Amino acid sequence: MTAALPDGRPVPPPYADERATLEGWLELGRATLELKCSGLDDEQARRASVPPSPMTLTGLVRHMAEVERSWFQRVFAGLGVPWLYGDGVGGGFDVGPEHGLEEALTTWRAQVARSRELTAGASLEDAGLLPEADAGHLGGERRVSLRWILVHMIGEYARHNGHADLVRERIDGATGV
């Protein structure tokens, strides 16, 4: 049985193998993003509340849907899936009045589900390929292991959940992890 925090988010296992530990921390990051968006209406979730940044919670959710899709479907599984939001430039951060939070969360949840599906039977040593244009960031190495991707995704959620903390606090004063 997985332990949960009082707010319902899963607690990463404190003593487990590497796979369970990595997946536990990734799941906590995912649940934290969803928690940061709970109880908000579309106007609040589209509000850029930390000037001069245009970042919004809806934009963060859209961005993380694109990040999930990119790392697990494009890089790890090698699928030629199209971008969710335009041509990938901006990564989903741009939102207009027609973009609702629930729509963004539904898309993000679907991408998370697909990520879980694609990695379920994979080994941490299994590798995907970065596009050549991105390999320069890794010294020219194109191969990235599932282990590397999971660690990278934990970092992505940690960074963006920090942004979400600030945005949410400015919207309605809600604080906490």
Side-chain angles (χ1 to χ4, degrees):
M1 174 185 259
T2 302
L5 296 168
D7 57 27
R9 292 176 299 146
V11 174
Y15 189 81
D17 66 19
E18 183 180 16
R19 177 71 177 253
T21 300
L22 292 171
E23 288 179 344
W25 280 102
L26 180 54
E27 290 303 325
L28 177 62
R30 288 168 171 161
T32 299
L33 180 61
E34 190 152 7
L35 178 67
K36 286 294 162 189
C37 297
S38 66
L40 297 177
D41 62 29
D42 284 342
E43 185 279 323
Q44 290 171 309
R46 280 193 302 267
R47 190 180 305 160
S49 61
V50 186
S53 174
M55 190 174 296
T56 68
L57 288 172
T58 299
L60 277 170
V61 172
R62 287 165 46 100
H63 174 71
M64 290 310 295
E66 197 73 85
V67 169
E68 289 271 354
R69 185 178 181 92
S70 188
W71 281 103
F72 292 108
Q73 293 181 50
R74 286 190 191 94
V75 174
F76 184 67
L79 303 175
V81 295
W83 295 101
L84 291 168
Y85 307 110
D87 60 2
V89 177
F93 280 116
D94 297 331
V95 296
E98 72 279 10
H99 299 124
L101 178 58
E102 199 52 47
E103 176 189 351
L105 285 167
T106 298
T107 300
W108 170 75
R109 287 179 192 121
Q111 297 310 308
V112 168
R114 185 70 171 127
S115 298
R116 289 179 184 129
E117 178 184 307
L118 290 169
T119 61
S123 163
L124 292 176
E125 287 77 31
D126 288 345
L129 288 177
L130 284 171
E132 282 190 44
D134 296 333
H137 301 294
L138 301 179
E141 178 64 56
R142 289 189 64 205
R143 287 177 10 119
V144 289
S145 68
L146 176 57
R147 175 185 293 103
W148 191 96
I149 292 169
L150 291 172
V151 170
H152 175 75
M153 291 298 293
I154 292 165
E156 280 284 316
Y157 276 99
R159 182 166 59 103
H160 289 309
N161 284 336
H163 299 138
D165 281 338
L166 294 172
V167 172
R168 179 63 190 255
E169 184 175 3
R170 295 286 300 177
I171 290 170
D172 66 0
T175 60
V177 292

